Amino acid sequence: MKLSSAVASITLSALSFPSPSIEAFARPSISVSRPRIPPGHRDISRRSIPRRCRPTAAAIHAAASTGTSDPTSTRAEIRIVPTVPIPDMRPGTSGLRKKVEVWQGPHYLENFVQSLIETAEEKEGDALETIIVAGDGRYHNSRAIPVIAHLAAANGIRNIWIPRFGIMSTPAVSAAIRRRRPNDDDDDGSAGGGKDGEGMAQGGIVLTASHNPGGPGEDFGIKYNEGLGQPAGEDFTEALYQKTLAISNYKTLSNLVDIDLSAPVGTKYELTPTSTVTIIDPYRNYVEALKSCFDFDRLREFVKHQGFSILFDGMHGAGGIFAKRVLVEELGLPESSLMRCNPLPDFGKCHPDPNLTYASELVQKMGLLPDGSADPSIHPSSLPTLGAANDGDGDRNLIAGAGFFVTPSDSLALLCDNWESIPQFASRGGLKGVARSMPSSAALDVVAAARNIPCFVTPTGWKFFGNLMSSKEMFGGEDYTPFLCGEESFGTGSDHVREKDGLWAVLAWMSILAKANEGNVGEEGTLVGVKDIVQKHWEKYGRHFYCRYDYEGVDSSAANKVMDFIRENFVNGDASSMEIGESGIKLTSAVEFSYTDPVDGSKTSKQGLILNFDLPSGDPARVVFRLSGTGSAGATIRMYLEQYEKDSSKHGMSAPAALRELAEEALRLVKMEETTGRDAPTVIT
């Protein structure tokens, strides 16, 4: 089917917006209250006009048909644009990610968003009333947001909330969905934000490709968060994909209203007589969520200690402005504590992934070598006490101490074992549940068993944690909150939102440091540091050496051949009969991970291939192979290495060095170089 040029996709070149500086990000106010109605129950109060009284799309179309050509007129005419399905729109682990030029193609953005809106309405069982549209500030965000707003209005969505400058971290979007009420920006701010569960938005369209690069020729993506702030589940994304295969038209408006994303908070744009865009404060609900988790007064006092300093790397992503808002404006730290905290469309040409490779500048400033070991030429006393980094959309985190790198798996285990230091957990009697993604190390499991806390192992993807966090809220099941969870790819979070949250992890570590230094506050003595806390933890529980090899941009057919080879020869074959190599490391078994959700009973298969080994010492080890679902081109093979070491005299080794022989044996067995042509990983973290 050939599309007429008369119905070509919306022209974006006329819509341009200023690039915001960090100083430009303003904030303001709040008010009102309403109980949250669990999904599955009708909530009349949620909608300002009952459904039976609300104008239908046809009625809106009829009312708008007399509109003028004035681009700011609220009498915009709904326009039905014929289209055809565009292949390969299946969302991955966290939304649909493609090269930005793909999204800029005719009808691509419109097809996907129309399918998304229809899927959300079917899932909601009703027309959508209120959504948030926000992004991480990457290239194409400011042009795509107005297009999405017009699509939403044409589909009858009444309230379209867009943060000032269009930028919001992913955890902040989740917080706003859970907390924001219609008039939260109308008062002077003294009333505080809405409480958790009082939010009115039924979902959020989030424009992000997370930790992937941005700019021309780089990545762009869209994901959807549902009414409790959680990422859309697999049932949603599969239904969305099926709609993209059957779409025949999308709805937009004939007259495009010029939406100034830099307009003051509270500015409204009437797109139709029944649909309004409101520019909202990006910070307010998120800061309130963090204040519900931590003792800000105590942290303000702790950071005054002469021996404390922090260096936070925003990697030019969305998280930087939130770090400034919290660390500088709330806690009183100097702006010198921040680096790269101004969002840029291309992330300053950096790859906004907070790991040892891509956060190399921060790694160096923390006195670390590229493999995470301490640089012997730098004395720790000259370094910041705490180092941290965010990714592009502010949900991931890297944690380091002076001359000391903390792996994500160790960080998660430490947070679990030190829950008494975190007010969010301590005030509610401690953790009632913890979870990790399967590729993460078992360091969390050991702590959870010792502390008698239920522990879950899920597939990779934050949506699996969402069900556990919302077991009672969504399904009337067991309440696992307060809840702590994390994944190996530098993601950590809790039930304060339904996303991983990089800044939350930083404040949690600051709280642990404050607790460990209670006797030192106000003195000039040496602080108990990150390294001291982690080494004490290893002495108690043993160390799980852990690292990840990423082979990025591998030819998809070659990547699948690697996985098929492992499946056929080890999972379905006799793994234990494999010849032992020179290292003396023996392959004992192989399994393919599958998951049955304990909350809703859903089943997920083919989530990673696990090779189990015995080391010459008798200690266990494992290697996990998994294809990543977060790339936009080719395939990424991820190899996760883990081995347990109880001998404290060996705990000081760097993880890559300790795991080198295990890595070599695993790569030999799966024939990585022969199949992919890669003799080394792209990244080791």
Side-chain angles (χ1 to χ4, degrees):
M1 176 180 177
K2 187 174 181 180
L3 298 178
S4 166
S5 60
V7 292
S9 63
I10 295 171
T11 301
L12 297 173
S13 59
L15 299 172
S16 61
F17 306 95
S19 296
S21 66
I22 189 169
E23 293 80 10
F25 288 88
R27 33 182 187 88
S29 347
I30 201 150
S31 197
V32 200
S33 176
R34 130 193 170 323
R36 188 170 189 87
I37 307 299
H41 294 72
R42 292 189 59 84
D43 178 10
I44 301 299
S45 69
R46 183 175 197 137
R47 297 168 170 80
S48 57
I49 300 177
R51 180 170 171 79
R52 65 179 180 277
C53 302
R54 204 180 314 140
T56 63
I60 294 172
H61 181 88
S65 62
T66 58
T68 69
S69 60
D70 179 0
T72 64
S73 171
T74 60
R75 293 186 175 277
E77 187 173 313
I78 293 174
R79 182 171 169 232
I80 310 298
V81 182
T83 188
V84 295
I86 300 173
D88 199 24
M89 282 190 172
R90 186 188 291 277
T93 303
S94 191
L96 180 66
R97 298 176 187 173
K98 298 288 182 183
K99 293 300 180 185
V100 69
E101 288 75 15
V102 174
W103 287 97
Q104 292 172 325
H107 305 284
Y108 197 94
L109 173 65
E110 295 88 344
N111 273 23
F112 187 75
V113 174
Q114 179 68 45
S115 300
L116 187 157
I117 291 171
E118 291 178 9
T119 304
E121 288 181 336
E122 289 182 6
K123 183 76 181 292
E124 182 75 12
D126 202 350
L128 295 178
E129 279 288 310
T130 303
I131 64 167
I132 296 171
V133 182
D136 61 9
R138 71 179 54 235
Y139 180 74
H140 196 52
N141 266 19
S142 62
R143 294 178 179 272
I145 286 173
V147 174
I148 294 171
H150 286 81
L151 288 163
N155 278 275
I157 299 175
R158 303 175 65 83
N159 304 304
I160 304 157
W161 294 343
I162 300 175
R164 192 170 188 227
F165 297 109
I167 297 178
M168 216 166 180
S169 70
T170 292
V173 173
S174 183
I177 292 172
R178 294 186 63 81
R179 289 173 173 266
R180 192 178 193 280
R181 298 163 302 185
N183 301 311
D184 273 3
D185 299 321
D186 291 350
D187 65 24
D188 62 4
S190 61
K195 295 180 181 179
D196 189 45
E198 292 183 349
M200 298 284 283
Q202 291 145 298
I205 298 176
V206 187
L207 285 64
T208 179
S210 187
H211 56 289
N212 292 7
E218 299 295 353
D219 294 350
F220 183 83
I222 292 180
K223 60 177 284 188
Y224 186 71
N225 282 42
E226 298 187 69
L228 295 177
Q230 80 278 26
E234 290 190 327
D235 57 339
F236 186 104
T237 56
E238 181 59 26
L240 165 57
Y241 174 61
Q242 293 302 322
K243 284 191 176 295
T244 68
L245 299 177
I247 190 170
S248 60
N249 62 71
Y250 60 83
K251 300 174 185 176
T252 186
L253 302 180
S254 58
N255 298 324
L256 300 184
V257 175
D258 185 8
I259 302 170
D260 181 3
L261 298 183
S262 66
V265 169
T267 301
K268 297 181 184 294
Y269 297 91
E270 292 188 358
L271 304 190
T272 75
T274 58
S275 294
T276 301
V277 164
T278 302
I279 303 298
I280 68 169
D281 177 7
Y283 307 105
R284 183 170 193 163
N285 303 114
Y286 178 63
V287 172
E288 289 293 332
L290 292 178
K291 286 183 175 180
S292 74
C293 299
F294 303 104
D295 185 341
F296 273 41
D297 290 335
R298 183 185 185 193
L299 292 177
R300 284 188 199 97
E301 288 302 311
F302 172 64
V303 301
K304 292 177 183 177
H305 191 288
Q306 185 176 338
F308 179 81
S309 60
I310 183 174
L311 185 58
F312 184 97
D313 184 359
M315 303 193 84
H316 292 305
I321 55 174
F322 290 86
K324 180 177 186 291
R325 173 71 179 84
V326 172
L327 299 179
V328 175
E329 296 180 27
E330 288 287 342
L331 300 184
L333 285 158
E335 290 208 33
S336 58
S337 301
L338 308 177
M339 61 180 283
R340 300 195 296 184
C341 281
N342 56 315
L344 295 175
D346 63 354
F347 303 110
K349 308 296 184 185
C350 82
H351 188 145
D353 192 353
N355 59 43
L356 293 170
T357 299
Y358 297 128
S360 57
E361 186 176 351
L362 174 71
V363 168
Q364 288 179 335
K365 289 179 182 293
M366 293 305 299
L368 296 168
L369 297 173
D371 67 355
S373 60
D375 184 340
S377 68
I378 301 176
H379 196 277
S381 62
S382 65
L383 301 169
T385 313
L386 180 64
N390 255 174
D391 67 333
D393 65 331
D395 61 355
R396 299 187 181 205
N397 71 93
L398 177 150
I399 297 294
F404 193 85
F405 170 63
V406 185
T407 69
S409 295
D410 276 342
S411 179
L412 182 62
L414 261 294
L415 294 177
C416 178
D417 198 39
N418 290 272
W419 62 257
E420 293 92 343
S421 302
I422 302 170
Q424 174 190 0
F425 303 147
S427 65
R428 297 161 68 188
L431 289 163
K432 294 182 181 176
V434 295
R436 66 171 174 90
S437 61
M438 180 275 290
S440 303
S441 90
L444 176 68
D445 308 45
V446 174
V447 175
R451 302 297 299 265
N452 198 29
I453 301 169
C455 182
F456 301 90
V457 179
T458 75
T460 297
W462 213 257
K463 54 197 172 188
F464 297 103
F465 297 144
N467 265 12
L468 292 164
M469 282 187 263
S470 299
S471 174
K472 182 177 180 180
E473 191 175 25
M474 289 179 67
F475 302 98
E478 186 167 350
D479 186 2
Y480 294 115
T481 62
F483 190 81
L484 172 70
C485 50
E487 55 190 19
E488 86 298 328
S489 54
F490 295 83
T492 316
S494 77
D495 57 287
H496 70 294
V497 294
R498 295 299 184 265
E499 287 280 5
K500 48 185 173 279
D501 187 348
L503 191 52
W504 180 93
V506 175
L507 294 175
W509 267 96
M510 290 174 67
S511 298
I512 290 173
L513 287 167
K515 179 74 171 178
N517 287 282
E518 281 182 333
N520 289 334
V521 174
E523 301 176 5
E524 296 183 6
T526 302
L527 287 173
V528 175
V530 171
K531 179 179 179 180
D532 302 313
I533 292 169
V534 177
Q535 288 184 333
K536 184 178 179 181
H537 180 87
W538 289 342
E539 289 175 8
K540 182 178 180 180
Y541 293 105
R543 182 176 181 185
H544 291 255
F545 282 103
Y546 182 87
C547 72
R548 188 180 87 191
Y549 285 26
D550 284 1
Y551 294 81
E552 298 176 351
V554 176
D555 177 77
S556 294
S557 62
N560 285 318
K561 283 181 181 177
V562 171
M563 301 300 283
D564 289 341
F565 180 84
I566 299 170
R567 191 175 288 113
E568 293 169 9
N569 289 274
F570 306 133
V571 175
N572 298 329
D574 184 5
S576 62
S577 67
M578 295 300 298
E579 182 180 344
I580 300 176
E582 294 180 3
S583 65
I585 298 172
K586 178 175 174 54
L587 177 65
T588 57
S589 65
V591 296
E592 185 158 21
F593 181 67
S594 60
Y595 179 70
T596 299
D597 194 301
V599 176
D600 66 8
S602 59
K603 299 181 184 299
T604 308
S605 59
K606 295 187 176 180
Q607 292 298 302
L609 301 166
I610 306 170
L611 303 183
N612 295 306
F613 295 88
D614 279 343
L615 303 176
S617 65
D619 287 329
R622 70 167 189 162
V623 179
V624 176
F625 289 89
R626 179 177 163 270
L627 295 183
S628 172
T630 60
S632 65
T636 296
I637 301 175
R638 287 185 171 157
M639 181 177 77
Y640 310 84
L641 302 143
E642 177 184 6
Q643 66 185 48
Y644 178 73
E645 180 59 67
K646 56 182 176 289
D647 184 351
S648 60
S649 68
K650 299 179 181 179
H651 289 171
M653 296 178 67
S654 73
L659 294 164
R660 187 171 293 119
E661 285 191 347
L662 178 63
E664 291 172 352
E665 179 64 14
L667 292 171
R668 180 187 71 82
L669 286 172
V670 305
K671 303 184 183 301
M672 179 70 80
E673 184 174 356
E674 296 95 312
T675 307
T676 66
R678 301 293 184 89
D679 61 0
T682 312
V683 178
I684 298 177
T685 57

